[in-house]
Amino acid sequence: MKKILVTGGAGYIGTHTCVELLNRGYEIVVLDNFSNSKESALENVKKITGKDFKFYNVDMIDKKALDTIFDENDIEAVIDFAAYKAVGESVEKPVEYYTNNVSTVLNLLDRMKAHNVKKIVFSSSATVYGDPKVVPITEESPTGGTTNPYGTSKYMVEQILKDLYKSDNTWDIAILRYFNPIGAHESGLIGEAPNSIPANLMPYIVKVASGKLEKLSVFGNDYNTKDGTGVRDYIHVVDLAVGHIKAIEKLNKEGKGLFIYNLGTGKGYSVLDIVNTFEKVNNIKVNYTIAPRRKGDIATCFADPEKARKEIGFEAKKTLEDMCRDSWNFEKNIN
Ligand code: UD1
């Protein structure tokens, strides 16, 4: 049976997607270099699914190692998650970010082409829309105007994939623009486990709730939103993972195309909505203080999820309560 190569498969979104793929009978091969993940996450994917898969500890900068993977396995498609994703760090380390997020994709595409594997699902981000003039954001909304190397790296790879498709339309490409994934698998075995102090909201909240961090800084309460705090489209990571299955199905069914989809819920929640819902469903206090705005943040960002619903039948099913409960369940479980 032909296999799907999942790069960055030990990471947060990668592990959840591996579970959904295995549960649906897909065979997978996983690549990761554990730059922001641990081997135990893959063990837990096996535990949840009762299925096994081949794993390669490889950095995608290494073209020879990529060749070995394609030589040793009958790969029909790649889902590419492998990337750095800390916005602040990307400003400090642009060379590392462009190398890891752009050069490695070029290596991957080059080796895919050499091995005649021309189907790819790419992890992009709503960050490519910059500061949106209008919400909800559709796939036709203007892109660019990214404010940090992380965002620019996603924008660049999108452009590379579009140019690639223009040059050779036998490629099948799905670009998925994620909004804000939170939550964890209901088993509590996999979830978001950053190797350093979290920069994103939910991973920070769980550390405050568990007493590992003192309090949350709410970055700004003077935005033009219902309560002054930033509004985002939070999507449960399991829903997001299912979005990748839908994308693969689309590429398998129709083939021959480049498709771009927003993966979000279409609902916007504020920072205080998240804190309040987290406290309520988990019956635990989250200490916070209002702090100045974070540089580069925008007021409001949420998706128009219609295109993904119509074209690939993608619909986020889980609620904000599910997201808050599952994030906390994972945090309790790993400690
Ligand atoms: C950011 C990136 C996005 C990236 C995502 C996941 C931008 C514009 N977006 O999204 O590209 O894919 O991270 O890595 O850079 N907040 C607090 N206190 C905190 C942390 C966050 O108040 O300690 C607030 C933020 O100001 C924001 C909301 O919570 O309003 C969500 O922040 P975060 O989880 O970092 O995600 P984004 O900034 O939306």
Side-chain angles (χ1 to χ4, degrees):
M1 188 180 171
K2 285 182 177 279
K3 294 179 176 151
I4 295 176
L5 172 63
V6 184
T7 77
Y12 176 43
I13 305 170
T15 45
H16 289 84
T17 303
C18 287
V19 166
E20 298 305 316
L21 286 164
L22 292 166
N23 281 345
R24 285 167 179 76
Y26 288 94
E27 289 204 20
I28 63 170
V29 174
V30 173
L31 170 164
D32 210 298
N33 66 353
F34 301 126
S35 69
N36 191 31
S37 60
K38 294 196 182 73
E39 211 162 346
S40 57
L42 293 175
E43 292 312 311
N44 286 332
V45 168
K46 293 177 188 170
K47 218 181 268 177
I48 291 167
T49 59
K51 301 211 168 123
D52 204 2
F53 49 84
K54 231 191 214 176
F55 168 71
Y56 291 84
N57 188 338
V58 157
D59 189 316
M60 295 206 309
I61 209 68
D62 183 351
K63 275 193 180 186
K64 282 217 178 79
L66 287 174
D67 272 332
T68 306
I69 299 177
F70 286 107
D71 284 336
E72 291 181 356
N73 302 280
D74 193 7
I75 307 282
E76 69 164 335
V78 178
I79 306 183
D80 182 26
F81 293 107
Y84 293 154
K85 61 154 206 163
V87 171
E89 186 184 61
S90 79
V91 177
E92 310 293 319
K93 300 179 173 172
V95 175
E96 288 85 340
Y97 267 69
Y98 288 120
T99 303
N100 197 54
N101 291 10
V102 183
S103 300
T104 57
V105 181
L106 289 169
N107 283 351
L108 176 68
L109 294 172
D110 180 60
R111 292 300 85 199
M112 285 176 71
K113 194 171 156 195
H115 293 266
N116 203 29
V117 178
K118 292 186 168 179
K119 219 175 259 185
I120 183 165
V121 177
F122 176 68
S123 286
S124 190
S125 164
T127 194
V128 300
Y129 295 114
D131 190 353
K133 298 264 173 312
V134 180
V135 285
I137 302 171
T138 71
E139 289 79 353
E140 278 65 50
S141 300
T143 55
T146 47
T147 52
N148 56 75
Y150 161 75
T152 307
S153 74
K154 292 293 171 189
Y155 180 70
M156 283 175 168
V157 174
E158 286 203 1
Q159 194 57 50
I160 290 166
L161 290 169
K162 289 175 191 166
D163 289 340
L164 175 65
Y165 183 71
K166 241 182 253 165
S167 76
D168 175 0
N169 70 4
T170 64
W171 279 83
D172 298 313
I173 300 170
I175 293 171
L176 304 181
R177 293 177 178 157
Y178 309 153
F179 282 70
N180 289 56
I182 59 172
H185 192 262
E186 61 182 5
S187 63
L189 287 171
I190 53 173
E192 185 162 22
N195 284 347
S196 48
I197 295 185
N200 298 116
L201 181 62
M202 185 56 87
Y204 206 98
I205 287 178
V206 296
K207 294 292 173 211
V208 173
S210 66
K212 292 202 186 62
L213 291 169
E214 198 196 329
K215 61 175 124 158
L216 170 74
S217 294
V218 173
F219 296 140
N221 66 350
D222 56 352
Y223 285 107
N224 184 19
T225 60
K226 61 172 186 174
D227 60 20
T229 66
V231 167
R232 297 289 182 275
D233 186 334
Y234 296 92
I235 175 168
H236 196 293
V237 66
V238 172
D239 279 331
L240 191 73
V242 172
H244 294 75
I245 310 290
K246 302 281 186 191
I248 283 282
E249 284 170 357
K250 169 87 176 171
L251 298 185
N252 281 343
K253 222 185 295 164
E254 301 192 7
K256 307 279 174 291
L258 179 143
F259 307 96
I260 300 179
Y261 297 112
N262 284 340
L263 294 185
T265 65
K267 292 191 198 87
Y269 289 106
S270 72
V271 176
L272 293 181
D273 285 335
I274 304 295
V275 171
N276 293 335
T277 308
F278 189 93
E279 289 185 330
K280 199 167 84 207
V281 298
N282 297 316
N283 196 20
I284 191 161
K285 185 101 197 85
V286 177
N287 294 320
Y288 71 86
T289 177
I290 304 295
R293 291 181 179 193
R294 183 172 64 177
K295 214 169 143 243
D297 267 355
I298 55 180
T300 303
C301 170
F302 60 94
D304 181 336
E306 258 317 283
K307 186 179 176 209
R309 192 184 65 75
K310 268 202 208 117
E311 292 190 13
I312 56 175
F314 171 75
E315 220 162 345
K317 297 206 165 63
K318 293 185 184 265
T319 63
L320 186 59
E321 282 75 15
D322 296 330
M323 302 180 214
C324 290
R325 191 196 54 236
D326 291 341
S327 288
W328 181 231
N329 185 37
F330 173 67
E331 174 66 18
K332 283 187 298 184
N333 209 35
I334 56 169
N335 288 297

